Structures are given as structure tokens and as C-alpha cells.
Amino acid sequence: MTMHWYTWQTKNPGFDTWHTAVKTGLGMPWIGENQATGEPEPDAQQTTDYTAVVEVAADDWRAPVSDLIAGTYPDGLGTPCDPPPEPELP
Amino acid sequence: MQPFDGALAELIMVDGTLTADEITLVEDYLTEKWITPVPEALGATLWLDASDTSTIVESSGSVSQWNNKGSLGNFTQAISALQPTTGASTLNGLNVLDFASDYLVSADAASAYNDLHNGEEYIVAAVVKFGTVANPNDFYGLFGNNARSTVNIGATLYFDDRLSLSRNEWLVNLISKGSGGQPVAANTSSDNFVTPNEFAVISLLADPDNGTAADRSGFAVNDGSLVKNNTDTFAVSASDATYTMQVGAVGNSVGELTGSVAELVVVTGANATESNRQQLVTYLTEKWDVQPVPLQVGATAWFDASDPYTIIETSGSVSEWRDKSGNGYDLTQGTGTAQPTTGTRTLNGLNVLDFDGSSDYLQGAFGGTLSQPNTIFAVFQNDAASPADYIYDGDDGTNRHAFYLSSNKYNLFAGGNPNGGTIDTDPHISKAVFNGAGSSLFIDGSSVFTGSVGTQSMDGITVGARYNGANFLDGAIAELIVVDGTLTADEISRVENYLANKWGITL
């Protein structure tokens, strides 16, 4: 799964509108499976979001998106960009 | 009112209804405990149970006969000086037999245990304590019928601590075919596999004639994964064992045991499967309350990527990594692109979680705050050439216990930032002691630095990133153990040896 970063000028409606469409298309939330038995675990942590957005500036909201999802859900997708700068350690 | 006329063994009341899985769990528990114990359900050929004193014939504590609850015959010892002792020691409140260079002999012919060397699959599961070998030329047998010799026919399981041969707490299953003077399968566990003078659940799944060497046999201690290290390729033998089976020795009165045996189970044939081995281990662990090393040292949180039952995933993306400490401090990640990957990477043949370095991490809150001192062990592997990555951190900005890689050095942070060493891309075991000015970091058992980490507490943990989801680890995490407090030198050694043996890392 190759990931690239994209930027939106607003979180809502920009990123949120696109992300909601992706989640609906993917059928989220996803219930996880126990790796040992392969059985669904309804009580386990669900996958509720496809990706997480990072606020870099007031008009710069960035999130990682896989090439597969970017190609499948191009409407409302942000503009390709660099990963957000990581904070100074620690 | 009509009074009940009968016996009541156990009563469990639950407020509400149970799922089908929960009902099965309770019924299995009650069935195993009161109706059909696991060794009986699996058709054990050998089942010696020291907690069942009705199976022990003794005089003044000296055991002349130990009756086999399995399908084969009993074990006896007529010579009083060689009789083990009963009634002197317990484990979890249950009686065990103590051996002081003692052993018992099967009443069956030598051929009765041919299943252990003729290519049949079999399980051995036992709760046993091996003593420290006082004589540097001694080894201690749990059972055997080939006198631990490759020129004989049969099988043995023994503890080898012989300094004269540079042995260091080995556990060996030797299956010999006699002709050619070579073993069919000499399955020797790694150094420090078992700890002398401590009870452990040891288990073995053997398939002597398996065409794949790595699948031929494997050991496990407590609830650990199987360690498979057999590489011999010789044919099995259909002939009878050379000697009568002995318990507490390995045949022909060789290798008398110093130590204690609580229970010993052998299952052969179709029921000798990995799932049944695990079932026997669970049965023995619960009955005798023998805990894995992280629980022995009181782990507050324990994450083990080799245990698939603790990993919740969808298509390999991990949404939850469950805490094995019993405290329920599970780690979660609800965002798909931020979930680490399982099932794609191993260390020493065991599954690890892979973190992509761009967005993956897991996070969980503890039920309370852990003030310093705290001790955290991690088994990790960094993949990045010049990382600025966190192996772990707290789960907020004010209660941080961080271990991170930066400026080509190892770093700790809990308000202060001691650092040192040189990072690389090899797998390592870290031991970080967060203890104010007396803090320290050890890598693979060796000190890297000491210094002051500051005074912050810990109330949760982020694995694979900074507390706020940044500085992502590009690498793998195999196991993480959090202990509230400091450990003794012996406890530290036990944990580090447990991790080193399990993950194939040299201390």
C-alpha cells in the first residue's frame, strides 16, 4: 500500500466531505477479526476512520491517502503535498 | 420446601445473558474441572498427577508407587533411597513430588512407549522444577527409555546444565534410533530456556518423522510459543525401546532428577496437535498457577505480537493490541491508515507488528497514574537510516515516559533527556528504568547510559510514535512490558533471558 500526502484548504467541508464519502464507500466502521481464530470481534476496537487529518496551518489540512483510495475517490481529493513537518523532539 | 439431596461442586451466577462463546467457555471450564480433565479427554497414555494423592503409594513420605492416570501402567521404586518424597512441598496449594537423585520405573515393558521414537506425533506437557546441577557432569532427567544415548533406541526429556560441556540451562528431547549411532531428532533448546529451581510449564510437540526439519519438534515454556530448532534428518526406528521407561531418570537409572514434578502428561497419535498442546498448557497453567515471566515480575501492561489471540486486525491492519497483564490496558487505533501491520514480518520466526514510519501507531490509557520508578522492556527493530522516531511514549504531553531514536542515539524522556549509544537496524531488547536522577537505559543487557529523565509520571502509552501521533517509527515492535517500580537483578535477568530466548537476540 503506497501512501502519499494530500492537502485541503479547509477541514469542513473540504477534508470532511471527501473523507465521509470514502468512509461510506468503504462501508466503515469495520469490525476487526481475531487474528488467531479469524472470527469477528464485535466488542473489539473498530476501524472508524479511513485516515486522520493534521492541521499544519489555517488553510493547510493534510492527510495520508493510499494510491488505491486516491484513484477510487478522486472527487474532492486534496492536492498532493509533502508530509507535514514533524515536531522537534522530544 | 424439598431439601436437595446430593452434592454441589460449583455455582456461578451471572447478571444477564451470555454469548454463545461465553457459554462455551464456562461449560469447558466446568467440564475440565469437574467432569473430564483435559489429559483424560485427550486420551493421555501417561498422566502422573501429584495433586491427586490417591495415586501415590507412600510410607513416611517416601513414594514407592505413583499410579498412572493415563492408559499405560504405573511407576514404582522399591529401593527406599531412590524413592521421591511426597507431602513435603506444594505448588499453588497442591502436592508435588520432590526428587533428590530419585526416580520411578514403569511397570510396562519397554515397548509400551515406542510411540515416542517410532515416528508417531506426541505431546509432552509437564509442570516441573529442575534443580541446579551441583555436579558439573550431571544432567537431570524428567523421563526416558534410551539412557540419553544415541546408540540406544528410545526418547528422553532432560535438563542439561553441564558446565563441562558449556551447557547453560538447556532442555533436550533426544529421540534415538540406535543403529548408526545417530539421533533421529535431538531437539535442544536455547541457553537459559528454563530457569533452575523454578516451577515451569514445559511442553513439547514432536513429529519425529516429519519431512520438514523445522516442523519435527518444538519446545515451549509456560505459555510461550514453540521454539523449533531441530535440524537432524535421520530415519525413525520401529524397534522396541532399549530400556524400560523411567520418570525422574532417562532409562537404565541414568540422569536421576534433582527437582520436583507436579504433573506429567504424554499424549500420542491423532490428538497430538498444536491446539491440544496449548489446551494442555492452559489446563496445567491454571491448575498450578504457573505464570509466564512478565506476570511473575508483576507486569502492569504486557503486549506480545507473537500471541495472535491478542491482535485484532482486518486484512492485516491492526485496530487493537490487547494487554496480557490482565489489567485491560489495550492499545487501539481506529484510523485505517494509521494502523500497523501484522502477519507480514517475523523475528526469530515469531510475528511482530510492522510500523510504516509515516502514520502508524497504537495508543491506550492506563486506569491510573504510575509514578516513578517504572521499568519498561521493549523488543524492537528500527529500519530507518537516520531516524527521529519514538518506540514508545506516554499518551499525553504531561505524563510522558518516552524512548526514542534521534541524532543517531538512544533517548529517554520524562521531562529530562538523557541519551547515548549508537542506533542501528538490528533487533534489540531495551530496558529503560525511569527513576529520576537514577534512570538508565540498557540495550541487550548492557548499560548504554545513566542520567536524569525528569519526574513525569505515566498514565498511558503510545507505541510507534510520539504521544501526539508524530515522529512515527519505521520499524517493528515485538513485545513491550511495563512494570510499575523497579526489579531485582534476578528479576531483570529473568525477563531479559525470556525475551532474548524468545526473539533470538543475544544478550
Side-chain angles (χ1 to χ4, degrees):
Chain A
M1 183 172 64
T2 306
M3 308 285 288
H4 288 96
W5 285 80
Y6 292 81
T7 179
W8 288 260
Q9 289 191 331
T10 60
K11 180 174 184 299
N12 193 1
F15 170 79
D16 286 352
T17 301
W18 175 82
H19 194 211
T20 299
V22 171
K23 289 195 290 183
T24 301
L26 294 175
M28 287 181 170
W30 291 339
I31 295 172
E33 296 179 348
N34 186 302
Q35 188 182 336
T37 65
E39 296 173 342
E41 292 243 340
D43 298 332
Q45 167 74 23
Q46 298 183 348
T47 302
T48 55
D49 293 316
Y50 167 68
T51 190
V53 71
V54 177
E55 182 182 12
V56 176
D59 59 350
D60 185 1
W61 297 78
R62 303 185 192 183
V65 180
S66 75
D67 290 352
L68 176 63
I69 293 298
T72 307
Y73 300 93
D75 293 345
L77 180 66
T79 305
C81 65
D82 292 330
E86 295 202 325
E88 291 294 318
L89 297 172
Chain B
M1 184 166 57
Q2 180 64 41
F4 171 59
D5 182 8
L8 182 61
E10 189 161 352
L11 187 64
I12 302 170
M13 300 180 74
V14 178
D15 181 7
T17 58
L18 299 178
T19 66
D21 283 348
E22 290 170 331
I23 292 169
T24 300
L25 199 63
V26 175
E27 289 178 340
D28 285 351
Y29 158 75
L30 292 172
T31 300
E32 290 166 9
K33 184 171 181 179
W34 296 105
I35 310 300
T36 309
V38 174
E40 183 180 339
L42 296 180
T45 54
L46 177 61
W47 179 19
L48 298 173
D49 177 8
S51 75
D52 184 353
T53 52
S54 71
T55 65
I56 299 170
V57 179
E58 54 94 19
S59 175
S60 301
S62 295
V63 178
S64 58
Q65 183 167 320
W66 198 2
N67 291 337
N68 179 11
K69 297 164 76 173
S71 59
L72 293 175
N74 300 328
F75 285 74
T76 62
Q77 178 55 269
I79 303 170
S80 60
L82 299 177
Q83 292 174 343
T85 303
T86 187
S89 302
T90 62
L91 176 64
N92 196 31
L94 304 173
N95 182 59
V96 303
L97 291 199
D98 295 325
F99 291 72
S101 296
D102 303 320
Y103 62 94
L104 297 155
V105 183
S106 170
D108 294 310
S111 59
Y113 287 90
N114 283 357
D115 282 354
L116 303 190
H117 67 257
N118 67 6
E120 191 81 59
E121 294 99 284
Y122 63 91
I123 302 169
V124 178
V127 179
V128 60
K129 176 174 72 175
F130 295 104
T132 301
V133 178
N135 183 330
N137 292 313
D138 269 358
F139 58 91
Y140 291 165
L142 178 58
F143 67 80
N145 55 11
N146 65 3
R148 197 201 53 84
S149 169
T150 57
V151 299
N152 295 324
I153 296 170
T156 61
L157 185 66
Y158 63 98
F159 175 69
D160 192 343
D161 210 16
R162 284 178 291 174
L163 299 177
S164 58
L165 295 176
S166 299
R167 304 285 201 254
N168 188 3
E169 296 155 17
W170 286 16
L171 195 62
V172 181
N173 186 39
L174 176 69
I175 305 166
S176 56
K177 69 170 186 176
S179 60
Q182 295 290 350
V184 174
N187 304 291
T188 307
S189 75
S190 305
D191 281 7
N192 297 308
F193 191 60
V194 290
T195 304
N197 296 313
E198 285 187 11
F199 278 102
V201 177
I202 61 170
S203 61
L204 167 71
L205 179 60
D207 187 2
D209 61 352
N210 193 304
T212 303
D215 294 338
R216 220 163 280 143
S217 188
F219 287 101
V221 170
N222 296 331
D223 70 348
S225 302
L226 284 175
V227 176
K228 299 181 179 180
N229 49 12
N230 171 39
T231 57
D232 291 321
T233 56
F234 304 101
V236 297
S237 172
S239 301
D240 291 345
T242 301
Y243 300 111
T244 301
M245 178 60 73
Q246 296 180 334
V247 167
V250 296
N252 199 30
S253 306
V254 170
E256 300 98 325
L257 173 65
T258 293
S260 302
V261 179
E263 192 159 354
L264 170 61
V265 182
V266 175
V267 173
T268 64
N271 279 335
T273 63
E274 170 57 12
S275 62
N276 285 339
R277 182 195 69 83
Q278 292 180 22
Q279 195 179 357
L280 276 169
V281 168
T282 301
Y283 156 78
L284 292 172
T285 301
E286 291 179 351
K287 176 176 178 178
W288 296 96
D289 194 26
V290 178
Q291 296 181 319
V293 170
L295 297 186
Q296 289 176 16
V297 299
T300 297
W302 174 26
F303 306 99
D304 175 7
S306 75
D307 183 351
Y309 290 93
T310 66
I311 297 173
I312 305 300
E313 52 87 35
T314 301
S315 301
S317 295
V318 178
S319 58
E320 186 170 341
W321 195 8
R322 290 181 171 165
D323 173 19
K324 295 177 73 171
S325 75
N327 289 324
Y329 296 160
D330 303 332
L331 305 176
T332 61
Q333 178 53 268
T335 300
T337 55
Q339 291 171 345
T341 305
T342 186
T344 60
R345 182 170 179 170
T346 62
L347 183 59
N348 201 32
L350 303 175
N351 183 62
V352 300
L353 298 193
D354 186 58
F355 294 75
D356 68 358
S358 60
S359 57
D360 291 353
Y361 68 101
L362 294 159
Q363 195 170 65
F366 294 167
T369 300
L370 306 183
S371 300
Q372 294 188 28
N374 295 305
T375 306
I376 304 177
F377 297 86
V379 180
F380 67 97
Q381 185 169 20
N382 159 61
D383 294 340
S386 300
D389 301 347
Y390 283 72
I391 307 298
Y392 56 79
D393 196 354
D395 69 336
D396 61 50
T398 55
N399 292 289
R400 300 181 61 184
H401 276 37
F403 172 44
Y404 63 95
L405 314 176
S406 177
S407 303
N408 204 32
K409 293 184 290 190
Y410 298 108
N411 294 257
L412 297 179
F413 181 84
N417 174 219
N419 55 67
T422 304
I423 62 174
D424 57 32
T425 55
D426 295 329
H428 291 295
I429 299 166
S430 64
K431 184 203 69 173
V433 179
F434 294 83
N435 190 17
S439 299
S440 61
L441 179 74
F442 284 65
I443 297 291
D444 303 335
S446 298
S447 176
V448 177
F449 59 77
T450 58
S452 177
V453 295
T455 59
Q456 292 186 13
S457 299
M458 185 185 198
D459 60 2
I461 191 164
T462 301
V463 175
R466 194 169 183 252
Y467 71 89
N468 61 342
N471 299 98
F472 302 99
L473 170 66
D474 180 5
I477 295 182
E479 190 158 352
L480 201 63
I481 301 167
V482 179
V483 178
D484 179 5
T486 56
L487 299 176
T488 66
D490 178 66
E491 289 172 327
I492 292 168
S493 173
R494 209 181 312 163
V495 175
E496 289 180 332
N497 284 325
Y498 154 78
L499 293 172
N501 178 69
K502 179 175 180 177
W503 296 103
I505 296 171
T506 302
L507 293 175

